[in-house]
């Protein structure tokens, strides 16, 4: 019931909220409420790092699918299905709202993860597309045929919404208040990744408070 409500009511409204911010990602001028709070692309990501990043997403896909579709896999999953289904992609008959909500949400996190690892917008989309194909043809095919809609909706709509989430998150972080910082993490959880693992220049750094003993946490910028 809660999952149904999430994908039918809550997430579509969330998409509408992010669309204005997504449009800013295509503008020539970057939306920079504060220059320090931004994404820094890595121009030379090594082949090894690309393989590791793709592998991390692929591992998460297996874990997520196994955890959420355990009964379906147990009842319908088989190597025979996997062997035959990969050659029979089709247009599935899932509910339109479910297709748009679930796969857009997943594609959004693909995109934001690759962005956090230093990929440019185009590269993040391309790798999101590859991750989507890997899921359709080597994971979900255990129980059903690959879906044409999912192949493009996941990376395309997910990347568009991911751009909006990224812009809105960085803006919220730039306001430097506790409520907006929390919202910034909610809109883009990848901004909470450790400093040496993320290319979002936002970080929680330890500092000593002169008025109190011990260590506290303060919002800082990882330069």
């Amino acid at each position: 019931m809660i999952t149904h409500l999430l994908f039918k009511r809550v997430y579509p409204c969330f998409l509408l909220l992010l669309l204005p911010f997504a449009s800013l990602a295509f503008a020539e001028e970057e939306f920079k409420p504060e220059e320090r709070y931004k994404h820094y692309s890595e121009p030379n990501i090594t082949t090894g790092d690309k393989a590791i990043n793709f592998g991390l997403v692929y591992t998460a896909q297996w874990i997520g699918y196994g955890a959420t579709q355990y009964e379906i896999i147990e009842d319908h999953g088989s190597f025979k299905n996997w062997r035959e289904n990969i050659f029979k992609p089709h247009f599935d008959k899932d509910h339109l709202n479910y297709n748009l909500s679930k796969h857009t949400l997943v594609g959004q996190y693909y995109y934001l993860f690759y962005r956090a690892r230093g990929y440019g917008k185009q590269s993040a989309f391309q790798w999101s597309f590859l991750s989507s194909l890997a899921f359709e043809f080597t994971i979900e095919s255990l129980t059903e045929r690959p879906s044409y809609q999912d192949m493009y909706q996941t990376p395309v709509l997910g990347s568009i919404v991911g751009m909006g989430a990224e812009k809105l998150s960085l803006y919220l972080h730039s306001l430097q208040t506790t409520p907006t910082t929390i919202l910034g993490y909610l809109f883009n959880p990848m901004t909470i990744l450790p400093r040496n693992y993320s290319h979002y220049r936002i970080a929680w750094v330890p500092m000593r408070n002169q008025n109190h003993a011990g260590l506290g946490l303060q919002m800082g910028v990882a330069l």
Side-chain angles (χ1 to χ4, degrees), residues 18 29 80 87 129 163 191 222:
L18 291 180
E29 292 296 326
K80 180 177 180 293
F87 299 106
F129 183 75
M163 291 179 187
T191 58

Side-chain angles (χ1 to χ4, degrees), residues 61-150:
Q61 289 172 323
W62 271 109
I63 294 173
Y65 192 65
T68 60
Q69 305 297 323
Y70 175 80
E71 293 182 358
I72 294 176
I73 295 173
E74 191 174 50
D75 294 338
H76 305 289
S78 69
F79 180 74
K80 180 177 180 293
N81 284 342
W82 179 87
R83 185 180 61 201
E84 295 179 354
N85 284 342
I86 59 176
F87 299 106
K88 299 178 181 179
H90 71 137
F91 287 97
D92 67 40
K93 297 182 180 180
D94 292 343
H95 192 280
L96 177 63
N97 187 61
Y98 181 76
N99 258 345
L100 290 175
S101 297
K102 182 186 75 169
H103 290 283
T104 299
L105 177 64
V106 172
Q108 170 188 340
Y109 288 124
Y110 290 167
Y111 176 83
L112 291 173
F113 171 78
Y114 284 117
R115 288 286 284 165
R117 295 299 293 134
Y119 293 68
K121 293 174 184 176
Q122 183 176 350
S123 294
F125 164 73
Q126 292 169 345
W127 282 92
S128 296
F129 183 75
L130 291 175
S131 290
S132 178
L133 290 180
F135 177 79
E136 291 294 321
F137 283 94
T138 70
I139 299 178
E140 195 172 39
S141 53
L142 283 171
T143 58
E144 59 185 87
R145 295 158 61 187
S147 165
Y148 286 123
Q149 298 105 303
D150 298 348

Side-chain angles (χ1 to χ4, degrees), residues 29-46:
E29 292 296 326
E30 290 284 341
F31 181 55
K32 300 175 182 175
E34 185 167 338
E35 182 68 21
R36 295 178 301 165
Y37 293 83
K38 61 182 293 185
H39 174 274
Y40 289 81
S41 297
E42 172 59 56
N44 298 308
I45 300 175
T46 66

Side-chain angles (χ1 to χ4, degrees), residues 177-190:
T177 69
T178 298
T180 58
T181 296
I182 293 172
L183 286 174
Y185 286 127
L186 290 176
F187 278 106
N188 183 2
M190 303 305 166

